Amino acid sequence: QVQLHQWGAGLLKPSETLSLTCAVSGGSFSGYYWNWVRQPPGKGLEWIGDINHTGYTNYNPSLKSRVTISMDTSKNQFSLNLSSVTAADTAVYYCARGQIGDFDSWGQGLLVTVSS
Amino acid sequence: ESVLTQSPGTLSLSPGERATLSCRASESVNSAYLAWYQQKPGQAPRLLIYGTSTRATGIPDRFSGSGFGTEFTLTISRLEPEDFAVYYCQRYGSSPRYTFGQGTKLEIK
């Protein structure tokens, strides 16, 4: 049973960089896409981007200029960096495992608040 | 950009009733790449249906999905108390790679 556990800073000031990491346990890192999804308070889901086991990334064009997703296969971890955050980036951030088309396992979510 | 529009926004039903949730796409979606999720307050989404109609592991058979092209439906045949939640459809495609509908809230009448 794969498990995803995520962590990172929960409170940021405007213009800072959001950094989150997701650790994968109980399953293979290979053969999947590793995703980041966010959900502003009381709103719907937005896909941020993904990375596969070879390091190939895809990003949402709406965030592409500020997003970097990376991975450390030796630790079965992948990370999200989102630069120049504003209040509009306040959201619960989820990591999720997927194959093409759907996400079958999710992290517990982490609320990141951007406030001066 | 392909947009997914879910209806209704809120659906009020009683346990034991049948729920029908709609997801309409602005562009045709490959049926292999349409999924549904359930989300309860304070929890991560849970995959219910993938490939339009295939139930994910452990999902009860009262949940079913159907559709083609731009019109997709999630049906819950007989509502149980634990089914009251928010439901999202999701499509895989291009630019962006994934989009979600805005959600349908299924509430107890």
Side-chain angles (χ1 to χ4, degrees), chain B:
Chain B
E1 174 180 335
S2 180
V3 175
L4 298 180
T5 302
Q6 294 186 238
S7 60
T10 301
L11 184 57
S12 300
L13 293 171
S14 300
E17 291 192 293
R18 180 184 185 92
T20 302
L21 287 67
S22 174
C23 177
R24 175 174 293 178
S26 60
E27 302 171 358
S28 185
V29 176
N30 185 323
S31 295
Y33 302 134
L34 192 287
W36 291 91
Y37 297 83
Q38 177 193 68
Q39 187 179 34
K40 296 180 179 179
Q43 296 184 16
R46 177 174 72 145
L47 178 64
L48 296 176
I49 300 284
Y50 63 93
T52 296
S53 60
T54 303
R55 282 187 299 276
T57 303
I59 302 303
D61 62 6
R62 65 180 181 273
F63 290 90
S64 63
S66 63
F68 179 79
T70 60
E71 300 281 348
F72 297 88
T73 300
L74 174 69
T75 302
I76 311 171
S77 59
R78 295 172 308 279
L79 286 166
E80 297 287 342
E82 62 268 26
D83 298 336
F84 292 91
V86 179
Y87 292 83
Y88 294 94
C89 58
Q90 175 204 38
R91 82 82 175 100
Y92 165 82
S94 61
S95 198
R97 192 163 157 89
Y98 293 97
T99 55
F100 293 89
Q102 84 280 16
T104 289
K105 182 179 181 180
L106 179 56
E107 65 176 22
I108 299 177
K109 187 174 182 180

Side-chain angles (χ1 to χ4, degrees), chain A residues 37-46 87-92 94, chain B residues 39 43 45 86 88 100-104:
Chain A
V37 177
R38 70 180 183 178
Q39 184 172 36
K43 298 188 177 180
L45 302 164
E46 179 182 32
D89 295 310
T90 293
V92 175
Y94 295 100
Chain B
Q39 187 179 34
Q43 296 184 16
V86 179
Y88 294 94
F100 293 89
Q102 84 280 16
T104 289

Side-chain angles (χ1 to χ4, degrees), chain A residues 8 12 17 29 35 55 69 85 110:
Chain A
L12 296 173
T17 295
F29 208 66
N35 296 267
I69 297 175
V85 297
L110 182 67

Side-chain angles (χ1 to χ4, degrees), chain A residues 2-116:
Chain A
V2 67
Q3 291 188 320
L4 285 73
H5 177 70
Q6 54 187 108
W7 66 88
L11 180 61
L12 296 173
K13 294 183 179 352
S15 81
E16 293 185 332
T17 295
L18 178 156
S19 293
L20 301 177
T21 298
C22 183
V24 180
S25 60
S28 173
F29 208 66
S30 298
Y32 293 95
Y33 287 83
W34 303 94
N35 296 267
W36 289 98
V37 177
R38 70 180 183 178
Q39 184 172 36
K43 298 188 177 180
L45 302 164
E46 179 182 32
W47 177 76
I48 299 169
D50 65 21
I51 188 168
N52 71 5
H53 69 280
T54 68
Y56 186 78
T57 55
N58 295 281
Y59 299 131
N60 191 321
S62 68
L63 298 167
K64 187 173 183 177
S65 64
R66 298 193 291 131
V67 172
T68 302
I69 297 175
S70 59
M71 67 181 187
D72 184 338
T73 54
S74 67
K75 295 181 179 179
N76 274 16
Q77 295 176 359
F78 63 108
S79 298
L80 169 69
N81 276 9
L82 179 66
S83 64
S84 304
V85 297
T86 70
D89 295 310
T90 293
V92 175
Y93 286 75
Y94 295 100
C95 56
R97 184 184 80 167
Q99 296 184 317
I100 296 292
D102 56 80
F103 305 155
D104 64 351
S105 297
W106 294 66
Q108 79 276 18
L110 182 67
L111 174 63
V112 177
T113 302
V114 180
S115 174
S116 56

